[in-house]
Amino acid sequence: MTGSRTFTMIKPEAVAAGHAGKIIDMLIENGFRIKALKLTRLSRQEAGTFYEVHKERPFYGELVEYMASGPIIAAILEKSNAVEDFRKLIGATDPMEAAEGTIRKRFAESKAKNAVHGSDSDDNAGIEANFFFSGRERF
Ligand code: ATP
Ligand code: MG
């Protein structure tokens, strides 16, 4: 059975550009309920840990700098089939390939600065949620 929760971040450039409200509105309109939410900032070290799976990729250094470059909004979202449905709503990594109506099609600047993160599995959704939120911060 697939899980009912996923984890998302609104990435630094999207927060700085003032898109956070519209992105949050879009995910609520698409049936996701907010179970935890905060404005916070990753240190370089934390960003490096969060994206550790990409350590060997050529863009890793750039990715870590970018994700630590300013405040992000972190959230836990609830919906049936949350991980897969949210990946559909955010669209392809590269906004040039993202479908019409997706968050990245509408708000991403580039493949690197692509507005939002979405967990890629139930296990990672749990790990990522625990990285940001204590028990008393989730509902
Ligand atoms: P995310 O994990 O942030 O939800 P994703 O699962 O769609 O994105 P990943 O392959 O996990 O994509 O890549 C993680 C992030 O690394 C991307 O969202 C993007 O910000 C950055 N990234 C991925 N590929 C590239 C690339 N070729 N050049 C620059 N940055 C990239
Ligand atoms: Mg990913």
Side-chain angles (χ1 to χ4, degrees):
M1 199 184 124
T2 55
S4 60
R5 287 190 174 205
T6 190
F7 171 81
T8 186
M9 285 186 283
I10 303 175
K11 297 184 177 183
E13 97 287 4
V15 172
H19 297 321
K22 292 195 189 79
I23 291 171
I24 291 169
D25 201 33
M26 219 168 147
L27 60 88
I28 291 171
E29 281 184 353
N30 281 273
F32 292 88
R33 292 175 295 278
I34 293 172
K35 308 307 281 186
L37 184 72
K38 71 166 79 164
L39 182 70
T40 184
R41 184 175 181 163
L42 291 165
S43 67
R44 281 200 190 97
Q45 194 185 7
E46 287 167 336
T49 302
F50 191 89
Y51 280 110
E52 201 151 28
V53 293
H54 296 307
K55 204 167 47 198
E56 306 305 327
R57 310 281 288 276
F59 58 81
Y60 181 69
E62 178 195 347
L63 175 60
V64 168
E65 285 299 311
Y66 156 55
M67 288 305 298
S69 67
I72 56 107
I73 289 175
I76 298 172
L77 304 177
E78 185 178 74
K79 183 184 183 297
S80 61
N81 202 33
V83 167
E84 192 184 337
D85 285 4
F86 192 67
R87 297 285 303 194
K88 258 185 225 151
L89 177 62
I90 69 179
T93 307
D94 185 343
M96 303 286 281
E97 291 163 18
E100 284 301 329
T102 61
I103 294 175
R104 282 171 169 165
K105 177 74 180 183
R106 190 162 163 204
F107 295 110
E109 281 181 17
S110 64
K111 188 170 185 179
K113 296 184 176 178
N114 58 4
V116 281
H117 161 78
S119 303
D120 60 9
S121 67
D122 289 347
D123 282 353
N124 284 337
I127 292 166
E128 292 168 4
N130 291 340
F131 189 90
F132 283 94
F133 294 104
S134 66
R136 67 184 299 276
E137 292 176 310
R138 49 178 96 188
F139 299 90

